[in-house]
Amino acid sequence: MSNTIVFGASGQLGQCFKRISAEMNLDIFIFPDETEGNILDVEGLERLFQFHRPVYAINCAAYTAVDKAETDVELATKVNVEGAKNIADLCSKFNVTLIQVSTDFVFKGDKASPLKEEDEASPISVYGQTKLDGERAVIEATDKYFIIRTAWLYSEFANNFVKTMLKLASTRNELKVIADQAGTPTYAIDLAECIISIITSGSTAYGIYHYSNEGIASWYDFTKAIFDLSDISTRVIPIPTSEYPTPAVRPAYSVMDKTKIKTTFGLQIPYWRESLKTCLSKINQQN
Ligand SMILES: NC(=O)C1=CN([C@@H]2O[C@H](COP(=O)(O)OP(=O)(O)OC[C@H]3O[C@@H](n4cnc5c(N)ncnc54)[C@H](OP(=O)(O)O)[C@@H]3O)[C@@H](O)[C@H]2O)C=CC1
Ligand SMILES: Cc1cn([C@H]2C[C@H](O)[C@@H](COP(=O)(O)OP(=O)(O)O[C@H]3O[C@@H](C)C(=O)[C@@H](O)[C@H]3O)O2)c(=O)[nH]c1=O
């Protein structure tokens, strides 16, 4: 395999690459910390590219606070658009293949069947818009890119919905959770493994791809599964979005069609509930 530099290495997905790299004894990954690998520092980035001469770059660095982005537009735009462009420009200059991670939130959420890569992206939040603009900046700057749109990431690392719900359950007898937003929870370790498969394949089938775990769930279904699998008795009450107002509007439906990534790379994708079990057992081991 080839030298691969991972930006955003201390975030959730970045830590998944670190875990896999350690477990599989892969010494191909370079994990700059946030100072050394600040995606807004073009000169620092160029020094990294010059020094390591990577063959692949994976951009996991992002502004991911969906609600906060609504009022923190400048920083969200800087990180998700300018940062993505900086990396893509250097990938073009140094002939590096870029793997840019993007999101289901680029979609409006009004389709009633799984979203394909060519479906119109029309974000309804600042975060979604900045991620779409980041995709466009990548496509403009370089030819050798894989943009992987994923959704509802969780893992044993960093902050995510599973950890939030487990924490809330420790102090609440009941929780109200939205039941009319549908998507697919995705174990970030599965996504990291998918990206490693793409790198290992050496494929040049550049373009946009959708990846999530298999299946469909609402945030309510997801929470019920987290609690059922953890033997937690906190009651989960299904509510409509209108009863849980948030600064950012989220897509009502963002289930993704994964046919393209499965057929191009010969992947078998785990069903979301199976991966959730794996993640919960990792979280239990940590506690
Ligand atoms: N989390 C999710 O549910 C989903 C995420 N995605 C996408 O997947 C990718 C990975 O997400 P995830 O790992 O969960 O997100 P995290 O927020 O856990 O990780 C992002 C990391 O990027 C870092 N970062 C922010 N600004 C910079 C910068 N200027 N230079 C370098 N690093 C920076 C953050 O640091 P700090 O925390 O200090 O700001 C953080 O460590 C992102 O592109 C995200 O948009 C897509 C769909 C779902
Ligand atoms: C905590 C909580 C959340 N919710 C709802 C609010 C929201 O619609 C949904 C998810 O809440 P969160 O704010 O944790 O998740 P959110 O940050 O919206 O998750 C998104 O993050 C970005 C980065 C992505 O790219 C997306 O794919 C998606 O994973 O659950 C409840 O209904 N009840 C609750 O108690």
Side-chain angles (χ1 to χ4, degrees):
M1 267 172 80
S2 319
N3 253 13
T4 300
I5 191 158
V6 181
F7 295 100
S10 49
Q12 171 170 227
L13 183 57
Q15 290 189 64
C16 291
F17 282 108
K18 281 185 181 166
R19 196 193 98 188
I20 295 171
S21 160
E23 279 179 1
M24 292 175 67
N25 253 325
L26 296 173
D27 56 1
I28 57 145
F29 287 109
I30 300 134
F31 296 109
D33 65 25
E34 229 167 279
T35 318
E36 203 192 0
N38 179 356
I39 63 169
L40 300 178
D41 172 10
V42 178
E43 284 173 15
L45 288 178
E46 179 142 13
R47 277 196 298 276
L48 273 181
F49 275 72
Q50 233 148 18
F51 182 77
H52 293 290
R53 293 278 163 185
V55 179
Y56 287 89
I58 306 175
N59 183 19
C60 310
Y63 186 109
T64 57
V66 176
D67 285 323
K68 219 168 136 211
E70 293 296 308
T71 47
D72 199 7
V73 182
E74 198 180 332
L75 184 58
T77 306
K78 262 190 173 296
V79 176
N80 291 347
V81 189
E82 202 179 302
K85 178 180 175 349
N86 291 340
I87 295 178
D89 282 340
L90 285 166
C91 284
S92 175
K93 184 168 172 180
F94 287 85
N95 192 29
V96 173
T97 299
L98 172 59
I99 295 168
Q100 166 73 13
V101 184
S102 193
T103 174
D104 56 330
F105 279 24
V106 299
F107 292 110
K108 187 172 174 188
D110 57 352
K111 208 184 156 199
S113 58
L115 290 145
K116 293 180 193 284
E117 288 77 357
E118 61 274 20
D119 282 333
E120 189 198 356
S122 174
I124 49 175
S125 63
V126 168
Y127 166 74
Q129 186 64 56
T130 58
K131 292 296 291 182
L132 179 62
D133 292 344
E135 290 184 5
R136 288 176 175 156
V138 164
I139 293 168
E140 184 133 324
T142 190
D143 295 329
K144 293 167 65 174
Y145 66 83
F146 295 95
I147 291 171
I148 318 284
R149 292 185 184 140
T150 188
W152 298 23
L153 286 185
Y154 67 89
S155 67
E156 55 272 38
F157 304 110
N159 294 320
N160 57 67
F161 190 80
V162 173
K163 287 173 134 190
T164 302
M165 288 304 168
L166 290 174
K167 206 180 293 165
L168 287 174
S170 65
T171 57
R172 307 264 192 92
N173 292 326
E174 64 174 44
L175 270 176
K176 293 183 175 172
V177 185
I178 290 176
D180 59 1
Q181 290 173 17
T184 312
T186 304
Y187 186 28
I189 287 281
D190 292 341
L191 171 63
E193 282 173 351
C194 159
I195 291 173
I196 291 172
S197 300
I198 294 175
I199 293 175
T200 320
S201 74
S203 169
T204 55
Y206 307 121
I208 299 180
Y209 291 87
H210 287 177
Y211 180 90
S212 69
N213 279 130
E214 294 284 14
I216 301 179
S218 66
W219 295 106
Y220 165 81
D221 300 327
F222 190 16
T223 308
K224 277 286 289 170
I226 296 165
F227 291 177
D228 289 349
L229 292 169
S230 310
D231 283 327
I232 288 173
S233 59
T234 298
R235 227 177 112 216
V236 190
I237 301 168
I239 53 164
T241 301
S242 56
E243 282 182 33
Y244 196 94
T246 51
V249 183
R250 282 140 173 99
Y253 179 92
S254 63
V255 178
M256 295 195 290
D257 185 318
K258 299 164 291 289
T259 309
K260 184 177 172 189
I261 202 160
K262 286 194 285 191
T263 52
T264 308
F265 302 106
L267 294 181
Q268 275 201 328
I269 302 182
Y271 182 67
W272 70 267
R273 199 181 279 266
E274 291 308 311
S275 288
L276 176 60
K277 276 186 210 160
T278 309
C279 175
L280 288 170
S281 76
K282 290 280 176 193
I283 291 175
N284 280 335
Q285 283 166 24
Q286 283 174 349
N287 295 333

